[in-house]
Amino acid sequence: MIGVVLAVLLVAVGTCGVFLYRSAMSVKNSASVIMAQASTLKDSLKNGDESGLTTSLNAIVSNVNDINAEVSSPLWTAATLIPVIGEDVRSVQTLGTVASDLVNDALVPVATSLSGTGLSSLLQDGSVNVELIRTVSSSVSDAIPVIQSSVDTISSLPEAHIPQLRDVLEQVQGPVSEAQGLVGQIEPILNLLPQMLGADGQTRTYLVIAQNNSELRATGGLPGSWGTISITDGVISMGEFQSILHDEGLQVEITDEERAAIATNMDTDPAQVNCTADFTRVGQLARDYWAQEGLGTVDGVVAIDPVFLQRLLSLTGGFTAPDGTAVDGTNAAKVLLSDTYWMFGNDGDAQDAYFAAVAGLAFETIMDNLGNAGMTDLMGVVEQSGKDGRLLVWMANEDEQSLMVNMGLSGRLESDPTKPVLGVYLNDDTYSKISWYASSSTVVGEGVKNADGTTTYDVTTTLTNTITPEEADNAPTYISGTNGAKRDVSDMLDFVFFYAPAGGTITDFQVSEGALFEDYGIADETLSGLQVLRMRTHLLAGETATFTYKVTVSADAAEPLSVRTTPLAQESLMGQQGA
């Protein structure tokens, strides 16, 4: 871009153009230094490298200031008087001013507040540095008006006459707008985190539920272990985990619609609390169950599964289980969801003791070593786990709950017709841990536009029982299951649910022969304004149920149909979820 501008200027201003050329080469060299340091700066922030951060930041500040000084010089100002091309030169000067503002008034304060703040500074000895979060939050809030002003300024620049300059302006607008969006997302998180971490001595208590994906429930798996985490001024303490499944005398309130759609006793048995796919309801009901047990009130409910723990262990390193097994970021899910049951057979007490010991060691390892992980890596695990339902959070506070929605962790049912989501969920009915062998995939075809503006997709969902006859014959009953409706030891029984997208419908539903219980049929219900189809399947070793159907989305849909589904025990058995 600079070369093209100068080619014109050299002709227009003669000898002065030589000096302008030298100035422009200086600008170009400074720009190259900035681009090189930007990558280094990012790595330093990620790893908490204070020395590298300072070096990169100083280099960027120095070179941005040099660029702004050059393009603001009398030589460049004189060039603005040239007809037509002068307007493009003024745009270059504006970019210099914007760059200076962004670096000195936004990047420097934020980067300085983050200086040295890898996770090791943020999380140490089981405590979160709340004051550090407040400092960063203040810097980010101050940076937002600067970034917004820069976006507005760049957007208001006239269309460039020189094609290369037009390209540059478009390229600059993208990253600056992206930075605006990123900072806008981070600000509410930073603003609310202190109160969520018990700032100012206000203790927060959260109920944590471990979902066992080897016995599937719509949001993940059997909620076998329940316990609390309390946080005061960032200091974390963990309570004892226990099971409250099947405890008598409990009663929570569910709606008639929920009762009809889910068709289970989720209102009287905590074991069924997450048979609904709407985690906002799971959180509320779990809170109520916990209180009815006389275990206190909680400010939120967090559901995790062994795959999420495994992902965290991939960041922190592993540990040795009581039996000498090395548990790490490659096998934690298998140890907790399969090996334990094969190891101890039908001895439930031994299973529970081993499971508790391994889970406790996993938590301890993660808390002790998470500070050594990279912030970007941790956020990647959180984002992915929220996306596939392995980390779900419900908060009693409305502002905090809105934050969970924005972060993609709420597990709520999508009610916006412009964002069509098909739900495919499983509830185990084998009374077992055979769901380790469940495999499922949903493939969405190309949408066909209808005359009324709606779009219809052909969808195929498959559900497979991957256990072999030999494995089933040798499996303890704890794995194979005790439901009296089983046809043989390998039989896998599930309730399968299909939730239509908001404003949409599911039609032309067909199931492969022999997959359904003939006396159960297909129920067509409504839940939270969504059409819900429910059926009961049974599959022997190696058998597959194939569901074919059409999904029609609202005419208001602004996105292609997406799929949300129950996270399975084995990630490798979860198939394609879209076209």
Side-chain angles (χ1 to χ4, degrees), residues 19-36:
F19 297 101
L20 194 59
Y21 176 81
R22 292 175 180 172
S23 174
M25 289 301 100
S26 175
V27 169
K28 181 179 180 181
N29 291 335
S30 295
S32 297
V33 172
I34 293 171
M35 294 303 294

Side-chain angles (χ1 to χ4, degrees), residues 108-436:
V108 170
V110 172
T112 300
S113 70
L114 288 167
S115 180
T117 60
L119 283 180
S120 57
S121 299
L122 184 62
L123 179 63
Q124 289 183 331
D125 302 323
S127 299
V128 181
N129 190 332
V130 175
E131 289 308 311
L132 175 59
I133 293 174
R134 281 177 161 166
T135 298
V136 176
S137 176
S138 177
S139 298
V140 169
S141 295
D142 291 343
I144 287 178
V146 178
I147 297 175
Q148 179 62 59
S149 175
S150 299
V151 170
D152 293 342
T153 298
I154 295 172
S155 299
S156 67
L157 290 174
E159 184 175 355
H161 300 88
I162 302 173
Q164 288 86 344
L165 179 56
R166 283 200 298 271
D167 293 341
V168 168
L169 291 176
E170 291 175 359
Q171 292 171 12
V172 169
Q173 283 178 324
V176 175
S177 296
E178 183 180 342
Q180 179 190 28
L182 179 62
V183 172
Q185 291 175 355
I186 292 175
E187 185 190 29
I189 299 175
L190 294 175
N191 288 344
L192 288 172
L193 263 182
Q195 70 184 46
M196 294 168 64
L197 294 170
D200 304 319
Q202 302 298 312
T203 298
R204 283 300 194 92
T205 301
Y206 302 105
L207 174 61
V208 179
I209 297 176
Q211 300 195 98
N212 187 328
N213 314 91
S214 283
E215 187 169 348
L216 288 173
R217 295 292 187 270
T219 65
L222 181 79
S225 297
W226 302 47
T228 57
I229 291 179
S230 295
I231 311 177
T232 306
D233 288 323
V235 179
I236 302 171
S237 60
M238 296 188 64
E240 292 294 325
F241 276 69
Q242 57 188 291
S243 172
I244 65 172
L245 306 188
H246 317 307
D247 284 5
E248 296 182 359
L250 299 178
Q251 178 78 54
V252 296
E253 294 296 324
I254 66 173
T255 66
D256 291 340
E257 190 179 61
E258 287 173 327
R259 193 182 310 280
I262 308 303
T264 188
N265 58 329
M266 57 187 286
D267 57 334
T268 58
D269 185 359
Q272 319 305 334
V273 70
N274 54 347
C275 284
T276 175
D278 184 358
F279 192 76
T280 62
R281 288 293 289 144
V282 176
Q284 294 165 359
L285 298 177
R287 171 200 57 187
D288 295 344
Y289 271 127
W290 192 250
Q292 282 194 25
E293 281 279 359
L295 298 171
T297 60
V298 295
D299 299 292
V301 177
V302 181
I304 60 175
D305 72 6
V307 174
F308 174 63
L309 290 180
Q310 178 171 303
R311 290 172 179 173
L312 291 179
L313 288 172
S314 71
L315 304 181
T316 64
F319 58 91
T320 301
D323 67 328
T325 299
V327 181
D328 55 29
T330 65
N331 68 344
K334 183 174 183 293
V335 169
L336 289 169
L337 295 174
S338 179
D339 294 352
T340 298
Y341 304 116
W342 283 100
M343 188 185 309
F344 296 103
N346 294 317
D347 188 342
D349 290 339
Q351 291 172 4
D352 291 344
Y354 184 79
F355 190 96
V358 173
L361 287 169
F363 275 115
E364 182 180 339
T365 300
I366 290 167
M367 293 303 297
D368 289 346
N369 298 286
L370 194 57
N372 298 322
M375 179 70 77
T376 303
D377 294 334
L378 175 60
M379 293 308 296
V381 166
V382 170
E383 181 180 4
Q384 181 59 44
S385 299
K387 186 179 298 183
D388 57 24
R390 301 189 184 279
L391 170 63
L392 300 169
V393 184
W394 170 80
M395 303 295 288
N397 179 283
E398 290 186 4
D399 290 336
E400 295 167 5
Q401 176 61 14
S402 294
L403 178 59
M404 295 304 105
V405 171
N406 293 336
M407 291 180 66
L409 301 177
S410 71
R412 66 171 184 169
L413 298 178
E414 182 57 67
S415 59
D416 185 353
T418 68
K419 302 175 181 178
V421 178
L422 166 68
V424 180
Y425 307 106
L426 301 170
N427 284 330
D428 171 75
D429 193 41
T430 321
Y431 314 159
S432 71
K433 299 299 181 285
I434 201 170
S435 294
W436 171 260

